[in-house]
Amino acid sequence: MNLYFRGNLGYQIYDVHDLYYGLQDAAPNTNVLESAYKENRKITTGKNVHSSYFVHNGDFMKLDVATLGYTWNINNKWVEKARFYITGRNLFTISGYHRGLDKDAYCVNGMEPGLPYSKNGYYPSSRQFLFGIQLNF
C-alpha cells in the first residue's frame, strides 16, 4: 500500500465565484448560486462590491494518490510473478472551505493569492481509478 497526502496550510481564498454569482442582483439575466438566497441573502449592496466577506480560510489536506497492490509468486515455465494493483487519484479532501472550486485550482504564488488560475473557465477535478496487472517473465 502506498498513500500520498499533500496540502496547503496558512493561506486564504478570495471567492470570486461567490462575489460574481452569489448575490441576488449580481448581474441581470444571469443564473446565480444557491448562496445568493441562503448565506448571502442579506447582502444588498448591488453589483460585485469587493470586500473581505468573500475571503475564506483555504487550508486543506488531500489524499492525492493511493495504491494497493499484491504480488503473487507463480514461478512456472512462463511467468515468474504477477502483481495486481489498483490506484486512485484525488480520492478525498479535508478542508473547512467547501464552496467553489477544488482547492488546487487556487493560486498560492503571491501574485494573485487565493484567486483561481483561470478566472473565465475551469474544469472540476475528477476522481480517477486505474487497475493493472504487471507480469514478470
Side-chain angles (χ1 to χ4, degrees):
M1 176 177 270
N2 181 15
L3 301 174
Y4 177 67
F5 289 91
R6 70 184 171 87
N8 283 326
L9 302 173
Y11 80 103
Q12 295 180 324
I13 291 172
Y14 186 63
D15 193 349
V16 295
H17 289 93
D18 205 26
L19 169 68
Y20 288 108
Y21 303 109
L23 302 175
Q24 292 179 24
D25 56 353
N29 302 321
T30 302
N31 289 335
V32 295
L33 299 172
E34 188 176 332
S35 62
Y37 297 99
K38 289 189 174 183
E39 56 266 13
N40 299 343
R41 71 182 174 278
K42 294 183 180 179
I43 300 175
T44 58
T45 58
K47 292 189 211 177
N48 309 333
V49 176
H50 295 276
S51 78
S52 62
Y53 176 80
F54 299 102
V55 176
H56 306 284
N57 183 2
D59 298 348
F60 73 92
M61 180 66 67
K62 174 183 273 196
L63 178 55
D64 201 25
V65 179
T67 300
L68 179 63
Y70 178 76
T71 301
W72 180 27
N73 292 320
I74 300 173
N75 290 326
N76 70 18
K77 186 176 178 180
W78 297 282
V79 178
E80 183 180 323
K81 60 175 116 174
R83 180 174 184 263
F84 303 92
Y85 61 91
I86 180 172
T87 299
R89 289 205 55 173
N90 195 24
L91 297 176
F92 68 85
T93 303
I94 300 170
S95 174
Y97 177 71
H98 297 290
R99 296 165 43 180
L101 300 173
D102 184 7
K103 292 9 141 229
D104 282 339
Y106 290 92
C107 297
V108 290
N109 60 12
M111 297 300 289
E112 296 178 307
L115 294 175
Y117 284 111
S118 171
K119 293 168 193 67
N120 298 327
Y122 63 91
Y123 292 98
S125 297
S126 62
R127 192 169 287 127
Q128 302 167 1
F129 295 98
L130 173 72
F131 302 94
I133 300 173
Q134 175 183 345
L135 300 173
N136 291 3
F137 300 98

